[in-house]
Amino acid sequence: RGLSTILSSLASHKSTTVGRGFATLLRLAASGEASVEALEVIVDSLSALLTLCPQGIKELCREMKHQYPWSGKPVECHTAYVEVLLVLTERHDLLEAHVLELIVRRALEIDTMIGANDIMQSSMLPATNIQLDVKSQICQEVENLFELEEETSQVPPEQLP
């Protein structure tokens, strides 16, 4: 069912640009309705598109940001989307900096507290060592940001630089 949904969704677009393909696949990932198998097909499709058209990396990065689930979406939508981005990052190292920055920025923008255990336990796709390392790195970055925020909020204003 997942593959047919993806293919019919891609076929329904009048434009066949790579950017539109990225947008459609990422929208499906963010919907929260895709099964684990469908998420794997989405990652495979995104990876194949990027491999076939490496110049599309700017479009992919733009669409990753644009299709990121809104703050009001259920946690499952955010989890599935982040999972897809992390697995895609494993396959295409050039995306790592952008994906990590995007995830951390969005987590902060929507005022979401992410704990290491929450991310590690909510994995929908089979985790690899690289993926776990990336997840740990994200958790550490978010925790560092919140610790820094707490430390600076306790400093009297006259002592701030």
Side-chain angles (χ1 to χ4, degrees):
R1 181 179 175 268
L3 181 57
S4 63
T5 303
I6 291 169
L7 294 176
S8 65
S9 183
L10 281 172
S12 69
H13 286 291
K14 304 243 189 269
S15 172
T16 57
T17 64
V18 173
R20 184 64 76 181
F22 287 142
T24 301
L25 291 164
L26 290 167
R27 192 174 313 112
L28 286 168
S31 72
E33 298 175 9
S35 65
V36 173
E37 294 81 17
L39 291 174
E40 290 172 356
V41 171
I42 290 169
V43 171
D44 291 343
S45 301
L46 286 167
S47 183
L49 274 174
L50 190 56
T51 300
L52 290 171
C53 185
Q55 300 88 350
I57 194 163
K58 287 182 183 178
E59 289 181 53
L60 175 59
C61 290
R62 184 178 60 244
E63 288 301 330
M64 281 185 214
K65 182 178 180 183
H66 183 71
Q67 299 300 330
Y68 205 99
W70 299 345
S71 61
K73 288 272 196 166
V75 173
E76 294 79 16
C77 295
H78 292 273
T79 302
Y81 195 78
V82 169
E83 292 279 335
V84 166
L85 297 184
L86 290 174
V87 173
L88 190 61
T89 299
E90 271 183 24
R91 297 182 187 182
H92 301 277
D93 294 337
L94 292 173
L95 295 172
E96 184 175 347
H98 176 76
V99 167
L100 291 177
E101 179 182 350
L102 176 63
I103 292 169
V104 170
R105 283 187 184 276
R106 283 299 168 106
L108 293 173
E109 282 176 17
I110 62 176
D111 199 25
T112 303
M113 298 294 289
I114 299 176
N117 290 336
D118 295 335
I119 289 180
M120 297 303 183
Q121 292 173 0
S122 67
S123 183
M124 293 175 66
L125 297 175
T128 64
N129 288 339
I130 295 171
Q131 186 178 355
L132 293 175
D133 289 343
V134 171
K135 287 181 179 182
S136 295
Q137 189 177 0
I138 292 170
C139 293
Q140 187 60 49
E141 291 297 322
V142 172
E143 288 172 9
N144 289 345
L145 287 171
F146 285 112
E147 285 174 12
L148 179 62
E149 185 178 294
E150 288 173 8
E151 289 172 11
T152 57
S153 66
Q154 295 173 4
V155 176
E158 60 274 2
Q159 293 182 359
L160 290 173

